[in-house]
Amino acid sequence: MSEKLRLTVGGENDGDRLDAALGELLENVSRARAQKLIKEGAVLVNGKAEKASKAVREGDFIQVDMPDLNPPDLVAQDIPLDIVWQDENLAVINKQQGLTVHPAGGVYEGTLVNALLYHIKDLSGINGDIRPGIVHRLDKDTSGLMVVAKNDAAHRSLAAQIADKTCRRIYFALLEGVLKEDCGTVEQPIGRSKTDRKKMAVVPDGKYAKTEYSVVRRYDNYTLARFRLYTGRTHQIRVHAKYLGHPVVGDKTYGYKNQKFALDGQLLHSAEIGFLHPVSGERMTFTCPLPPYFLKVLDTLGKKQNG
């Protein structure tokens, strides 16, 4: 028996070798096993057989005929879910901080996917049984807007818009320290850290990454900043903020180990997302306010500054 998996290459794997990308896209599958599957002809990229060394691109579709794959059935769980808008093709979700987007590392419960299975009837199957409906991701401790596909046609359209950089994504973050410039652009390649493979970093041989930023408000020792993503590398804003010398407040991975505020994660929020509707072609833009814990910190800083 075998299962046909359909996967979408995200920005974090753009430019990777096919075998390396499969090693990351398929949970619990080593790169060596990925190479074996490719050699056996069990892997197609956009409908064509390719070599393991083939460089894949963001938005590519990979089909894998995976033998003897028996992932546990995902459980639909009644996890609170803020559905901002939906129709028969897609849903826009305001994800809460602390919620992992999809199962990974042998954990198959308590994720956004489990919540989607409970609250939404139909989800696209392009990314297989483990990631139904998931077109793009937010980090576990990043809150805010993301779009979910309810069918494969919508998924392809949305994935293509993200790959073509026509999907508009705006974030707000509170940064450590005071940014001198009112605005700027970071174009620095991002890849695996040379000293800690669990982290990302600005590295010479990394993948192209572009982030625009502008100052919203300066506080004593902090800056509220607006970011626009042009690429979708793993932890992109957090890594580029660290590169600027102003890591995101609450980010213990890329920021300060000793935080001054009692937070459950980084103060980074996906505040706006815009795209063309996959069927009507209408331009759609959604916004959502900063979460209460984020606003509470800003309120505290504002009172100190004005007091």
Side-chain angles (χ1 to χ4, degrees):
M1 294 293 293
S2 65
E3 179 179 356
K4 283 184 167 39
L5 299 179
R6 292 174 292 173
L7 309 167
T8 310
V9 177
E12 63 270 24
N13 295 116
D14 182 63
D16 280 355
R17 287 170 50 109
L18 175 57
D19 54 356
L22 277 182
E24 291 193 18
L25 289 169
L26 295 173
E27 307 298 340
N28 303 319
V29 172
S30 67
R31 188 166 173 177
R33 189 180 180 198
Q35 290 173 342
K36 186 171 184 291
L37 289 168
I38 295 166
K39 189 174 182 180
E40 292 173 348
V43 179
L44 300 177
V45 180
N46 299 325
K48 294 173 55 180
E50 301 284 1
K51 294 182 179 179
S53 59
K54 165 72 175 178
V56 295
R57 296 299 174 192
E58 184 177 5
D60 281 350
F61 293 100
I62 302 177
Q63 180 176 307
V64 185
D65 190 7
M66 180 68 77
D68 300 321
L69 184 72
N70 295 303
D73 292 333
L74 289 181
V75 179
Q77 293 178 293
D78 187 8
I79 298 169
L81 194 61
D82 182 4
I83 301 175
V84 176
W85 185 90
Q86 65 175 320
D87 66 4
E88 66 273 17
N89 296 290
L90 60 91
V92 178
I93 309 296
N94 178 15
K95 187 188 83 69
Q96 60 264 44
Q97 186 183 63
L99 186 63
T100 300
V101 169
H102 59 72
V107 178
Y108 293 94
E109 294 186 4
T111 72
L112 174 64
V113 164
N114 298 102
L116 290 173
L117 290 171
Y118 182 91
H119 293 282
I120 296 178
K121 181 181 178 181
D122 298 311
L123 294 167
S124 71
I126 281 179
N127 278 345
D129 291 339
I130 301 300
R131 303 178 189 180
I134 302 301
V135 181
H136 65 115
R137 292 176 281 185
L138 292 179
D139 296 339
K140 176 184 177 182
D141 290 328
T142 297
S143 60
L145 297 172
M146 57 184 295
V147 62
V148 172
K150 291 188 176 183
N151 54 62
D152 290 359
H155 191 127
R156 291 188 183 93
S157 172
L158 293 166
Q161 291 180 58
I162 291 173
D164 294 341
K165 316 297 186 290
T166 55
C167 178
R168 179 181 172 88
R169 290 174 288 171
I170 303 296
Y171 293 72
F172 285 90
L174 185 66
L175 306 181
E176 303 277 3
V178 180
L179 274 170
K180 293 181 180 179
E181 302 82 7
D182 288 337
C183 60
T185 301
V186 182
E187 288 187 88
Q188 292 293 332
I190 292 176
R192 292 287 171 188
S193 169
K194 306 299 183 184
T195 57
D196 186 345
R197 297 296 293 173
K198 293 181 180 179
K199 294 183 181 181
M200 308 303 287
V202 169
V203 290
D205 58 346
K207 299 169 190 172
Y208 174 75
K210 178 180 178 181
T211 311
E212 282 185 354
Y213 65 91
S214 59
V215 171
V216 178
R217 181 176 176 180
R218 293 181 175 92
Y219 299 89
D220 294 337
N221 302 317
Y222 298 95
T223 304
L224 178 63
R226 175 185 182 274
F227 291 89
R228 180 175 180 182
L229 281 181
Y230 284 87
T231 50
R233 308 305 174 207
T234 300
H235 303 167
Q236 180 172 320
I237 291 175
R238 298 163 65 192
V239 171
H240 275 174
K242 180 182 180 181
Y243 174 82
L244 288 170
H246 299 279
V248 179
V249 171
D251 189 346
K252 292 186 178 181
T253 300
Y254 298 105
Y256 300 156
K257 297 301 179 186
N258 297 318
Q259 296 285 330
K260 293 185 179 180
F261 299 98
L263 299 169
D264 294 326
Q266 63 269 4
L267 293 183
L268 178 60
H269 180 70
S270 172
E272 179 182 326
I273 189 167
F275 51 85
L276 297 179
H277 191 278
V279 176
S280 69
E282 176 188 358
R283 185 71 190 179
M284 309 190 77
T285 300
F286 299 91
T287 61
C288 68
L290 297 176
Y293 59 86
F294 200 140
L295 291 172
K296 183 178 179 181
V297 172
L298 296 183
D299 183 58
T300 299
L301 293 177
K303 286 178 179 177
K304 285 184 179 179
Q305 192 174 44
N306 297 328

